[in-house]
Amino acid sequence: MNKGLLIVLSGPSGVGKGTVCAALRRKMPGLVYSVSATTRAPRSGEQEGVNYFFKTREQFQDMIARDALLEHAEYVGNYYGTPREFVEKTLAEGKDIILEIEVQGALKVKEKFPEGVFVFLLPPSLGELKQRIVGRGTESQDKIDHRLSVAVEEMNLLSRYDYAVVNDEIESACERIQAIITAEHCKRERFLHELFDELKSLTTAHNGSER
Amino acid sequence: MNKGLLIVLSGPSGVGKGTVCAALRRKMPGLVYSVSATTRAPRSGEQEGVNYFFKTREQFQDMIARDALLEHAEYVGNYYGTPREFVEKTLAEGKDIILEIEVQGALKVKEKFPEGVFVFLLPPSLGELKQRIVGRGTESQDKIDHRLSVAVEEMNLLSRYDYAVVNDEIESACERIQAIITAEHCKRERFLHELFDELKSLTTAHNGSER
């Protein structure tokens, strides 16, 4: 059996990763979602193992020590990370798994899973990205400038990804990600093994019956 | 403007390249078809520039001498080849072009267009391929054996292609090739140029307005 594909969906803050990922999961019920581990408290309605794996700080640090996380980061005093075992188990079962993650985390995952399929979600234009960043609320210009410069830095990481998908419309972005998944399954490597086995058996059978 | 994609559809004899290519062209009217040049006489209903570019032997040899063909081969006393100029012109116009060709010719095209997208069409199984080869008519066992060994050799070239598509059903094979084309358009290289131009202009505008 072929291993599944690890699809990593990333992109600058505010580009709509979460929305696209949720829409994609609705369209592809067979696609497994990689649930993150976190030390932050569950919010109302959040379920263990569905939204997050909720961990104590000690449990999380133990996971770091055991190299049980593909990547982790601290954000506003809480840890967030990607449990390695669930990803590996899903792939070994021949199922595709999607990981929605910010750009720095995605590149850490790439170090451990270079064979992953790394998709960078782009805003329809940088002007539009700025609009989304500026239009969020009533923050100070300094905060907005900071968010913009972070987004520009993130955009510079694009070259390390395999694919870029413009999030002009959720439906269309989903279709392009589905096409990428289909195409990756067609990559020759995934077929060679089975084919050569069949080739061998056919040649033997053929020689046996004809000579 | 981005250059178009050169899609090369190939695969073992009898796998159904022509049928899949024709179906794909019906589904994707914007996809340009690379018309071959040949020295064989037109058959009833065949049109110049639609089915083939019909050439005299002298004209064809002149094309070879001018390196005006991406590949060429002689088959049953007639020349067949792929005119380079039409392919290059179409790509420069930003249009995708598909080339349906046997496996040796495809690999010659790859030498000149390594950036092409090389798709290998596979039979549902090698047993099925054998069925198609054997089931064709009333030829001698020797001829059948020869066809089978050619097909097996062709199959061995699979690793030099970018994608493998199983021709289990025409509709489904077409969908997978369409997905490959979409995914190839999402490859990061095709976006970088435009994006960095926009990034530069935004940074300038931003700095100008804020400072």
Side-chain angles (χ1 to χ4, degrees):
Chain A
M1 185 175 61
N2 283 321
K3 274 183 71 177
L5 295 171
L6 170 63
I7 298 116
V8 178
L9 181 62
S10 192
S13 335
V15 78
K17 293 187 286 292
T19 315
V20 168
C21 188
L24 194 66
R25 289 168 64 196
R26 279 193 297 274
K27 285 167 72 95
M28 303 182 77
L31 184 63
V32 178
Y33 177 69
S34 164
V35 176
S36 297
T38 186
T39 56
R40 84 151 165 73
R43 291 180 191 147
S44 159
E46 284 184 343
Q47 289 171 56
E48 165 73 15
V50 175
N51 305 93
Y52 284 100
F53 294 110
F54 295 100
K55 303 284 176 193
T56 64
R57 220 169 157 80
E58 291 65 38
Q59 287 172 325
F60 202 101
Q61 281 163 342
D62 179 58
M63 289 177 86
I64 298 173
R66 286 187 292 113
D67 197 24
L69 297 165
L70 287 181
E71 57 77 39
H72 70 275
E74 207 166 349
Y75 181 72
V76 205
N78 286 305
Y79 281 125
Y80 295 82
T82 305
R84 176 199 289 270
E85 194 187 340
F86 182 68
V87 170
E88 288 180 345
K89 187 175 143 280
T90 306
L91 295 176
E93 286 167 359
K95 294 179 198 155
D96 297 342
I97 184 166
I98 191 163
L99 180 52
E100 178 222 325
I101 190 172
E102 41 73 43
V103 290
Q104 303 292 350
L107 293 175
K108 283 186 206 157
V109 173
K110 197 178 179 186
E111 286 168 21
K112 290 180 183 166
F113 269 100
E115 74 277 28
V117 179
F118 291 80
V119 179
F120 196 97
L121 202 62
L122 288 172
S125 71
L126 285 177
E128 164 107 359
L129 176 65
K130 191 185 169 187
Q131 211 57 52
R132 292 189 205 182
I133 290 171
V134 172
R136 257 188 193 173
T138 51
E139 288 102 333
S140 68
Q141 186 60 44
D142 272 3
K143 268 198 181 160
I144 292 172
D145 278 357
H146 174 71
R147 274 209 299 256
L148 182 62
S149 77
V150 168
V152 164
E153 264 170 52
E154 287 175 336
M155 205 68 88
N156 275 316
L157 298 173
L158 177 55
S159 62
R160 316 252 311 260
Y161 286 73
D162 301 307
Y163 297 97
V165 169
V166 175
N167 187 19
D168 43 3
E169 219 198 326
I170 292 168
E171 184 66 16
S172 147
C174 281
E175 276 169 21
R176 272 170 281 159
I177 297 169
Q178 284 184 291
I180 289 166
I181 295 171
T182 300
E184 285 286 332
H185 277 287
C186 291
K187 283 236 171 120
R188 67 192 185 289
E189 296 84 7
R190 312 190 72 76
F191 286 94
L192 281 176
H193 189 69
E194 275 175 44
L195 255 174
F196 281 113
D197 285 353
E198 199 172 342
L199 181 69
K200 237 169 98 182
S201 76
L202 182 70
T203 309
T204 317
H206 184 67
N207 289 345
S209 64
E210 303 297 334
R211 273 142 220 209
Chain B
M1 187 174 59
N2 282 323
K3 274 184 74 177
L5 295 172
L6 171 64
I7 298 116
V8 178
L9 181 63
S10 193
S13 335
V15 78
K17 292 187 285 293
T19 315
V20 168
C21 188
L24 195 65
R25 289 169 64 197
R26 279 193 298 275
K27 285 167 72 96
M28 302 182 77
L31 185 62
V32 177
Y33 176 68
S34 164
V35 177
S36 297
T38 185
T39 58
R40 84 151 164 72
R43 290 179 191 148
S44 160
E46 284 184 343
Q47 289 172 54
E48 164 73 14
V50 175
N51 305 94
Y52 284 101
F53 294 109
F54 296 101
K55 303 286 177 190
T56 65
R57 226 172 152 77
E58 292 65 40
Q59 286 172 327
F60 202 101
Q61 281 163 342
D62 179 56
M63 288 177 87
I64 298 173
R66 285 187 291 114
D67 197 24
L69 297 165
L70 287 181
E71 57 76 41
H72 69 277
E74 206 166 350
Y75 181 72
V76 206
N78 285 306
Y79 281 126
Y80 294 82
T82 305
R84 177 200 287 270
E85 194 187 340
F86 182 68
V87 171
E88 288 181 345
K89 188 176 141 281
T90 306
L91 295 176
E93 287 168 358
K95 294 179 197 154
D96 296 342
I97 184 166
I98 191 161
L99 180 52
E100 178 221 325
I101 191 172
E102 40 72 45
V103 290
Q104 302 292 350
L107 293 175
K108 283 186 205 158
V109 173
K110 198 179 180 186
E111 287 168 21
K112 291 178 183 167
F113 271 98
E115 74 277 27
V117 179
F118 291 80
V119 179
F120 196 97
L121 203 61
L122 288 172
S125 72
L126 285 176
E128 163 108 358
L129 176 65
K130 191 185 168 187
Q131 212 57 52
R132 292 189 204 183
I133 290 170
V134 172
R136 255 191 195 172
T138 52
E139 289 102 331
S140 69
Q141 186 60 45
D142 272 4
K143 269 199 180 160
I144 291 171
D145 278 358
H146 174 71
R147 272 211 299 255
L148 181 61
S149 77
V150 168
V152 164
E153 264 170 53
E154 287 177 335
M155 206 68 87
N156 275 317
L157 299 173
L158 177 54
S159 62
R160 317 251 310 260
Y161 286 73
D162 301 307
Y163 297 97
V165 168
V166 176
N167 187 18
D168 44 2
E169 219 199 326
I170 291 168
E171 184 67 16
S172 146
C174 281
E175 276 168 21
R176 271 171 283 159
I177 297 169
Q178 285 185 289
I180 288 167
I181 295 172
T182 300
E184 284 285 333
H185 277 288
C186 291
K187 283 235 171 119
R188 68 191 184 290
E189 294 85 7
R190 312 189 72 76
F191 286 93
L192 280 176
H193 190 67
E194 275 176 43
L195 255 174
F196 280 115
D197 285 355
E198 199 172 342
L199 181 69
K200 236 169 101 182
S201 76
L202 182 70
T203 309
T204 315
H206 185 65
N207 288 346
S209 67
E210 303 299 333
R211 273 143 221 208

